[in-house]
């Protein structure tokens, strides 16, 4: 390992409108939707903490009080669980965020796009490389989590890093798409990145997923980016400018990603996580047998 600055801070943009999940997300933030018994945001925070993050920065809207409440201590609930002798559940509630990890909040007044949401964290991040995690991309890994894998790549090279996976060519218009070239040891460096290209114009079928390690230079680039695809200020457009001066890796992570901002991805994640849970697995398998062919 070389002496690159550690990745200590992670930005969680959670100020989006979650329109694909309405009406459920009319009053509940998309990131608070649970997969089995944990909200999406907590899976992403757990992944960040595993990767060594000690400062969690939520970019939130005025309507997302539920996220603040989830990560705030709740001594009344803990006392009740203690009195009921339910120590295991009390500890789970107590340890939602480890003591050495701090949380910060910044408001994005208007959902102007992911790029704008990241820019809102500028002051809290300061002048150091940082991570961005989109909680609706849930990534299940059997070994190290996706962000931990990316932090290792960063420490090996000093380069920022973006999580990617192969997607069906017909779906390029739903993703940021990168083209890559390999270095001498087979690492994929990003040559170009475009937001939501048509299948005909896409440079590849490598889609960007919601995990990034970025240098602080991204903030000044975000300031000058104009609204792009969908009328939003796109992080992708600032990354394209960053690539003119800074190398960025494309990391094809080990693991399975679920797009939990879509109903299909959310349901698949629920089934897979339930099948992994010893208390739920057998019952779920029996139930699937009974509904098969209905
Ligand atoms: P998405 O585009 O997937 O989220 O943004 P969305 O806009 O909430 O959902 P749909 O498409 O309308 O269903 C990816 C992430 O960026 C955050 C979202 O909360 C989500 O975690 N985001 C997006 C912001 O924080 N601010 C924005 O202005 C836009």
């Amino acid at each position: 390992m070389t002496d690159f600055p550690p990745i200590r801070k992670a930005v969680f943009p959670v100020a989006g409108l979650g329109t694909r999940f309405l009406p459920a997300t009319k009053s509940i933030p998309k990131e608070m939707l649970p997969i089995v018994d944990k909200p999406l945001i907590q899976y992403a925070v757990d992944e960040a903490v595993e990767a060594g993050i000690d400062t969690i920065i939520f970019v939130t809207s005025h309507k997302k009080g539920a996220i603040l409440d989830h990560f705030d201590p709740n001594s009344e609930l803990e006392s009740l669980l203690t009195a009921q002798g339910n120590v295991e559940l009390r500890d789970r509630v107590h340890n939602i965020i480890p003591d050495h990890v701090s949380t910060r909040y910044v408001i994005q007044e208007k959902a102007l796009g992911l790029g704008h949401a990241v820019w809102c964290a500028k002051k809290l991040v300061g002048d150091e490389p940082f991570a961005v995690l989109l909680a609706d991309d849930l990534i299940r890994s059997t070994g190290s989590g996706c962000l931990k894998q990316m932090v290792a790549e960063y420490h090996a090279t000093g380069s920022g890093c973006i999580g990617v996976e192969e997607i069906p060519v017909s779906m390029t218009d739903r993703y940021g798409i990168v083209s890559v070239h390999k270095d001498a040891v087979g690492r994929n460096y990003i040559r170009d990145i475009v937001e939501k290209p048509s299948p005909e114009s896409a440079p590849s079928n490598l889609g960007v997923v919601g995990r990034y390690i970025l240098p602080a230079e991204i903030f000044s680039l975000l300031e000058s980016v104009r609204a792009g695809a969908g009328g939003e200020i796109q992080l992708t457009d600032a990354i394209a400018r960053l690539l003119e001066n800074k190398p960025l890796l494309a990391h094809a992570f080990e693991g399975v990603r679920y797009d939990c901002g879509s109903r299909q991805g959310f349901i698949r994640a629920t089934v897979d996580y339930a099948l992994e849970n010893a208390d739920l697995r057998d019952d779920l398998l029996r139930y699937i047998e009974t509904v098969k062919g209905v």
Side-chain angles (χ1 to χ4, degrees):
M1 285 221 185
T2 34
D3 280 344
F4 302 115
I7 307 297
R8 296 189 313 110
K9 296 180 179 173
V11 175
F12 292 77
V14 292
L17 300 175
T19 51
R20 283 172 297 162
F21 239 113
L22 283 169
T25 46
K26 183 162 175 276
S27 63
I28 301 168
K30 172 170 71 173
E31 299 80 8
M32 283 303 291
L33 295 174
I35 300 296
V36 183
D37 55 8
K38 262 189 353 182
L40 282 169
I41 188 70
Q42 200 188 330
Y43 286 94
V45 165
D46 290 349
E47 183 186 323
V49 170
E50 182 215 5
I53 297 296
D54 64 18
T55 307
I56 305 282
I57 301 168
F58 295 110
V59 180
T60 176
S61 74
H62 289 291
K63 291 186 184 147
K64 303 251 175 157
I67 293 177
L68 278 74
D69 290 346
H70 181 72
F71 288 101
D72 260 3
N74 185 337
S75 51
E76 202 180 323
L77 177 62
E78 287 180 35
S79 303
L80 182 74
L81 292 169
T82 310
Q84 290 173 347
N86 201 341
V87 176
E88 196 200 326
L89 196 53
R90 183 207 56 199
D91 289 349
R92 275 192 83 191
V93 169
H94 180 77
N95 294 323
I96 274 177
I97 203 132
D99 290 341
H100 74 279
V101 177
S102 62
T103 49
R104 305 266 186 280
Y105 297 90
V106 60
I107 299 275
Q108 184 188 25
E109 294 287 346
K110 222 172 164 197
L112 295 177
L114 174 60
H116 181 260
V118 171
W119 176 81
C120 289
K122 178 181 171 178
K123 277 201 185 123
L124 291 175
V125 170
D127 193 22
E128 55 185 284
F130 65 103
V132 178
L133 291 92
L134 307 187
D136 52 351
D137 269 341
L138 174 60
I139 301 181
R140 189 166 58 93
S141 308
T142 46
S144 296
C146 179
L147 190 65
K148 190 169 182 187
Q149 298 168 33
M150 289 170 56
V151 167
E153 292 285 280
Y154 161 79
H155 279 298
T157 61
S159 297
C161 188
I162 299 182
V164 298
E165 74 174 357
E166 286 191 18
I167 54 146
V169 174
S170 60
M171 289 170 73
T172 56
D173 55 1
R174 299 191 202 170
Y175 289 84
I177 301 290
V178 299
S179 61
V180 296
H181 63 92
K182 282 201 192 301
D183 73 357
V185 295
R187 282 200 171 88
N188 282 321
Y189 278 91
I190 300 176
R191 200 193 299 276
D192 201 7
I193 183 167
V194 270
E195 187 64 28
K196 301 188 172 68
S198 65
E200 297 74 39
S201 64
S204 79
N205 69 333
L206 277 183
V208 172
V209 304
R211 300 291 183 276
Y212 308 79
I213 293 175
L214 295 169
E217 284 93 324
I218 197 75
F219 292 117
S220 54
L221 296 169
L222 280 167
E223 249 149 58
S224 57
V225 160
R226 291 178 190 282
E232 298 193 336
I233 295 177
Q234 297 287 353
L235 181 58
T236 302
D237 294 340
I239 291 173
R241 299 264 309 276
L242 183 72
L243 284 169
E244 292 167 14
N245 298 307
K246 288 254 168 187
L248 277 182
L249 287 159
H251 178 66
F253 57 91
E254 180 279 313
V256 181
R257 180 188 69 98
Y258 303 90
D259 174 9
C260 291
S262 78
R263 291 172 302 175
Q264 293 86 344
F266 182 84
I267 290 165
R268 286 179 189 188
T270 301
V271 170
D272 283 356
Y273 277 78
L275 287 174
E276 258 189 4
N277 183 308
D279 292 342
L280 302 174
R281 182 183 169 81
D282 291 346
D283 180 69
L284 177 59
L285 285 173
R286 273 196 300 275
Y287 182 65
I288 290 171
E289 275 309 311
T290 65
V291 295
K292 250 190 199 168
V294 168

